[in-house]
């Protein structure tokens, strides 16, 4: 009986040790599993998210981070809300809508999100053909304008910017087209201007500019300041001269920001470790995608419209 009991006790101890070892990395650190929601494989979020996963795995003991392709911002926020992922790359404006229960989140207020950092700008661009004679956003009154797909983040951006100029959809002929559709309509003469929110240079605009003289309409500094006061997710941006073929003027505009967010399940220490690892290895993000060069510690809290993870906030105060 005693031998049988001792054998069972030994087996139990071995099993317990195995469980403990399984929960630790090779260096003895406790395993930490982090799922990162990104975007489509052809977009920008996916390679950036993959690089972030690599950085975390290399620089945080016991870390097991993985990036997954998703439907981007709205999908990512819903996954965070459901507890399916820990980190996500999202647009800061749509995150603001989610936490305030407005726009496409009017039926659901999402409170379990914290900001880690803003990453790079996604710029609001009103594009028209030079031959249209349209030189400013104020000139869009009475015009056919592709404002983005109905219910999209871009459409909300277009509506807010037009509103800052005292223009409502009653003052224009709004066309609810994605920018790919709007770009085609602009080339074919079926709309007078098209709006998009994307990092510049944008392939669709480059395509139009290769065949037609284009013009970008500015969002002047004083209007940008009014927008930012009302909607804290906007930041000022200058699109450099020559960004698009044949258009050699510098253009003032505004951007929303791609940002990294975390579930409230990511505690202060983990938030600090993640932020320190990422911003201590920005060269890896640059290697992953050209937008990496725009990701900087100095600008990482610009355009943050929601409460920050306490650990991330601590890191940026150092």
């Amino acid at each position: 009986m005693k031998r049988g009991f001792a054998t069972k006790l030994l087996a139990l101890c071995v099993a317990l040790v195995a469980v403990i070892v399984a929960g630790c990395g090779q260096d003895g650190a406790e395993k930490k599993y982090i799922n990162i929601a990104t975007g489509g494989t052809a977009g920008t979020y996916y390679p950036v998210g993959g690089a972030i996963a690599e950085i975390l795995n290399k620089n945080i003991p016991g870390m097991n981070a993985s990036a997954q392709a998703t439907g981007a911002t709205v999908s990512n926020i819903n996954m965070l809300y459901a507890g399916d992922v820990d980190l996500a790359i999202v647009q800061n404006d749509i995150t603001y809508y989610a936490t305030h229960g407005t726009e496409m989140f009017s039926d659901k207020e999402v409170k379990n999100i914290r900001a880690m950092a803003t990453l790079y700008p996604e710029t609001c661009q009103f594009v028209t053909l030079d031959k249209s004679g349209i030189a400013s956003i104020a000139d869009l009154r009475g015009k056919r304008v592709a404002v983005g797909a109905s219910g999209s983040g871009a459409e909300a951006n277009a509506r807010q910017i037009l509103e800052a100029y005292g223009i409502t959809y009653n003052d224009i002929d709004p066309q609810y087209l994605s920018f790919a559709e709007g770009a085609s309509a602009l080339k074919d003469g079926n709309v007078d201007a098209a709006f998009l929110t994307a990092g510049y240079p944008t392939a669709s605009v480059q395509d139009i500019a290769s065949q037609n003289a284009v013009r970008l309409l500015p969002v002047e500094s004083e209007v940008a300041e009014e927008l930012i006061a009302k909607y804290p997710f906007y930041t000022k941006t200058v699109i450099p001269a020559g960004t698009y073929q044949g258009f050699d003027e510098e253009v003032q505009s505004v951007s929303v920001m791609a940002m990294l967010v975390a579930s409230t399940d990511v505690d202060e220490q983990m938030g600090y470790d993640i932020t320190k690892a990422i911003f201590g290895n920005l060269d890896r993000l640059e290697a992953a995608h050209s937008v990496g060069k725009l990701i900087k510690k100095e600008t990482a809290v610009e355009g943050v419209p929601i409460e920050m993870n306490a650990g991330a906030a601590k890191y940026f105060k150092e």
Side-chain angles (χ1 to χ4, degrees):
M1 289 290 291
K2 290 183 179 179
R3 178 174 294 181
F5 176 77
T7 302
K8 288 179 182 179
L9 183 61
L10 178 60
L12 179 63
C13 291
V14 170
L16 182 60
V17 170
V19 169
I20 294 170
V21 170
C24 298
Q26 290 181 339
D27 57 1
E30 182 182 351
K31 272 288 185 185
K32 308 173 184 76
Y33 294 92
I34 294 287
N35 293 318
I36 307 170
T38 63
T41 54
T44 305
Y45 290 3
Y46 185 73
V48 171
I52 288 173
E54 287 182 25
I55 289 169
L56 301 187
N57 288 337
K58 185 175 180 181
N59 292 278
I60 299 178
M63 176 58 71
N64 187 336
S66 59
Q68 60 188 89
T70 69
T73 298
V74 174
S75 173
N76 292 354
I77 290 172
N78 286 328
M79 292 170 76
L80 272 174
Y81 179 75
D84 295 331
V85 296
D86 309 287
L87 298 176
I89 303 176
V90 294
Q91 279 185 210
N92 66 341
D93 54 335
I94 296 176
T95 306
Y96 178 88
Y97 304 147
T99 58
H100 288 74
T102 59
E103 297 290 351
M104 65 287 290
F105 286 94
S106 59
D107 61 343
K108 178 173 67 178
E109 202 171 329
V110 181
K111 290 297 188 183
N112 64 328
I113 302 178
R114 295 292 180 266
M116 298 294 286
T118 52
L119 301 175
Y120 59 86
E122 299 191 75
T123 302
C124 298
Q125 303 172 64
F126 275 101
V127 186
T128 187
L129 302 186
D130 191 58
K131 65 184 180 184
S132 71
I134 298 170
S136 71
I137 292 174
D139 294 339
L140 293 176
R141 291 179 185 274
K143 304 297 185 183
R144 301 162 300 170
V145 183
V147 294
S150 180
S152 67
E155 186 271 321
N157 297 146
R159 181 165 18 93
Q160 291 157 3
I161 294 169
L162 288 167
E163 187 182 89
Y165 282 87
I167 298 172
T168 71
Y169 283 173
N170 292 328
D171 301 313
I172 64 172
D173 180 8
Q175 304 292 309
Y176 296 96
L177 305 172
S178 70
F179 190 72
E181 296 166 334
S184 295
L186 187 60
K187 286 191 290 186
D188 295 341
N190 294 324
V191 298
D192 302 299
F195 178 82
L196 77 154
T197 300
Y200 63 79
T202 308
S204 299
V205 183
Q206 288 176 312
D207 179 56
I208 300 169
S210 69
Q211 304 168 47
N212 306 270
V214 300
R215 173 166 291 279
L216 299 185
L217 307 181
V219 179
E220 291 84 359
S221 182
E222 58 273 17
V223 177
E225 288 170 9
E226 291 174 16
L227 264 175
I228 293 166
K230 187 171 184 179
Y231 303 106
F233 45 78
Y234 284 112
T235 59
K236 288 185 178 182
T237 298
V238 176
I239 303 172
T243 294
Y244 297 111
Q245 180 180 329
F247 185 64
D248 296 321
E249 299 176 29
E250 183 178 270
V251 178
Q252 294 180 335
S253 191
V254 291
S255 296
V256 294
M257 301 292 288
M259 69 184 296
L260 184 68
V261 295
S263 160
T264 48
D265 290 337
V266 175
D267 64 23
E268 179 175 350
Q269 186 60 53
M270 179 57 69
Y272 179 86
D273 292 344
I274 288 171
T275 312
K276 182 178 181 180
I278 292 170
F279 284 86
N281 294 276
L282 292 178
D283 56 332
R284 177 65 193 89
L285 295 180
E286 285 191 41
H289 195 282
S290 58
V291 300
K293 66 180 181 295
L294 302 175
I295 303 173
K296 301 173 183 176
K297 183 178 180 180
E298 304 81 63
T299 58
V301 296
E302 289 182 8
V304 170
I306 64 171
E307 184 179 344
M308 290 198 73
N309 172 281
K314 177 181 176 182
Y315 173 78
F316 290 120
K317 287 176 183 174
E318 291 182 347

